[in-house]
Amino acid sequence: MRTSHLLASILLSTACGGGKIATGQNPDGGLPPGTPSFVAWPVTDGTVTAYTVDPNLRRGAAAGPAQTDATGSFTLKLSMTTTTQLLLVASSGSYTEPATGTPISVSGYELTALLPSATRLPGDEISGALVSPVSHLSALLAARFVLQGTAPDAALTKAKTVLN
């Protein structure tokens, strides 16, 4: 029951909007390079971890952690070379639900964002990524498309298209 209330509050507070990627945005997360990354709403004291994924988009090795600040912003530096998609997972912290002002703990839950494949080196920063309910749904839908035979990057593009 707690999960359904959390999901309902997340979806209502974001109005399920994903929006279109604006011209000049970076496919790695939507915003130009050097732009901070965010977890939807200001999730403070949250942990965001990047993971490699296998060809079926299942979570692999951790590729770097980050902590969110009071604005929900984070800077994630990779600890390894990756060439696959990256899964960003926000797994702790808290935020204030905007409609009611109620504090909500994210601990015990996850929000994810799937980034397209690219060659990334140790020390590279993930910038411009947004971890949100829409990015979470997009990652889940992409995994379903992969299981149906779509290539991972094409599946991610298809999932974003369906949700936008």
Side-chain angles (χ1 to χ4, degrees), residues 27-29 84-88 113-117 120 126 129 153 156:
D28 217 24
T84 67
Q85 295 76 18
L86 276 182
L87 183 67
L88 300 181
L114 186 64
L115 305 181
S117 62
R120 299 175 179 99
I126 301 301
D153 280 336
L156 179 57

Side-chain angles (χ1 to χ4, degrees), residues 19-163:
K20 299 279 186 197
I21 293 178
T23 304
Q25 288 186 327
N26 176 342
D28 217 24
L31 300 172
T35 303
S37 296
F38 290 92
V39 176
W41 331 279
V43 175
T44 60
D45 300 319
T47 299
V48 178
T49 306
Y51 293 93
T52 60
V53 294
D54 70 12
N56 290 318
L57 299 183
R58 289 186 298 245
R59 191 179 305 188
Q67 290 295 122
T68 62
D69 64 17
T71 67
S73 176
F74 62 92
T75 300
L76 194 150
K77 287 188 179 189
L78 296 176
S79 60
M80 62 189 292
T81 299
T82 67
T83 58
T84 67
Q85 295 76 18
L86 276 182
L87 183 67
L88 300 181
V89 179
S91 59
S92 65
S94 62
Y95 69 95
T96 301
E97 198 282 322
T100 65
T102 305
I104 304 292
S105 173
V106 179
S107 298
Y109 302 98
E110 292 184 335
L111 282 176
T112 63
L114 186 64
L115 305 181
S117 62
T119 299
R120 299 175 179 99
L121 303 173
D124 283 357
E125 289 185 2
I126 301 301
S127 65
L130 175 64
V131 182
S132 71
V134 175
S135 71
H136 185 75
L137 292 173
S138 180
L140 293 173
L141 188 55
R144 178 171 173 81
F145 291 149
V146 165
L147 291 176
Q148 294 172 342
T150 306
D153 280 336
L156 179 57
T157 299
K158 183 176 178 182
K160 287 180 178 181
T161 301
V162 166
L163 292 174

